Amino acid sequence: MTIYTDAGFRTRQMWDKNEKEGVLCVAIEKNGKVEIKEKKDFVPYQEGLKQYNNIFELKAVLFALEILAKEKYEEVKIITDSTTIRGWVKNGTGSEKFLPTPLHVSLFQELRLLKALFRNVEIEWQPREYNLAGQYIERVYGL
């Protein structure tokens, strides 16, 4: 079984601030068949937050871990097309130069809690053209 994750978003004007509205996608490839699970999500405007794409990508990984935890998997291998997210999931935090916002801190805490539910969580990088979740988002949402 291979798990692919990806996310895409658009900016939506909300009063005087821009809210980011996105879709989280998980593609589960098992026995030659692909099952797509998606979830709409948003990130409200936050002063100083610049990495909206990475936030949505991390939320897609969290969504995948939630799905797999419910199905009682012990070992998980996730494919992402983001080297940043691969590092975040592997290390449980950003790099030394990284200045986390309260949202990052909350998401990293959720990541640690979800990873603890599994015996092993592996994450690998592949280019987007091989990411089934990314292909789905491009085809359906044009993102």
Side-chain angles (χ1 to χ4, degrees), residues 1 3 64-65 68-69 73-78 118-123:
M1 176 175 64
I3 309 299
L65 291 173
L68 297 168
Y73 284 94
E74 292 183 6
E75 298 200 6
V76 176
K77 181 179 176 183
I78 295 174
F118 300 92
R119 184 174 42 203
N120 186 36
V121 175
E122 285 183 46
I123 186 152

Side-chain angles (χ1 to χ4, degrees), residues 69-88:
K70 286 179 187 171
E71 296 182 14
K72 307 284 190 223
Y73 284 94
E74 292 183 6
E75 298 200 6
V76 176
K77 181 179 176 183
I78 295 174
I79 307 292
T80 180
D81 56 27
S82 169
T83 56
T84 298
I85 296 308
R86 187 191 72 193
W88 286 3

Side-chain angles (χ1 to χ4, degrees), residues 91-141:
N91 302 323
T93 188
S95 69
E96 289 179 12
K97 298 177 192 173
F98 177 72
L99 297 172
T101 66
L103 178 58
H104 288 99
V105 171
S106 171
L107 292 174
F108 288 145
Q109 182 178 15
E110 185 178 349
L111 174 62
R112 283 189 292 281
L113 292 172
L114 283 168
K115 281 177 67 174
L117 298 174
F118 300 92
R119 184 174 42 203
N120 186 36
V121 175
E122 285 183 46
I123 186 152
E124 290 184 9
W125 175 86
Q126 281 189 358
R128 188 160 197 204
E129 59 263 23
Y130 302 112
N131 184 334
L132 299 180
Q135 291 172 10
Y136 176 83
I137 287 173
E138 283 181 17
R139 188 175 60 252
V140 174
Y141 294 97

Side-chain angles (χ1 to χ4, degrees), residues 8-10 15 24 41-42 46 49 63 75 87 106 118 124:
F9 72 93
R10 291 188 173 100
W15 298 283
L24 314 177
D41 203 350
F42 76 96
Q46 290 187 23
L49 181 62
F63 180 44
E75 298 200 6
S106 171
F118 300 92
E124 290 184 9

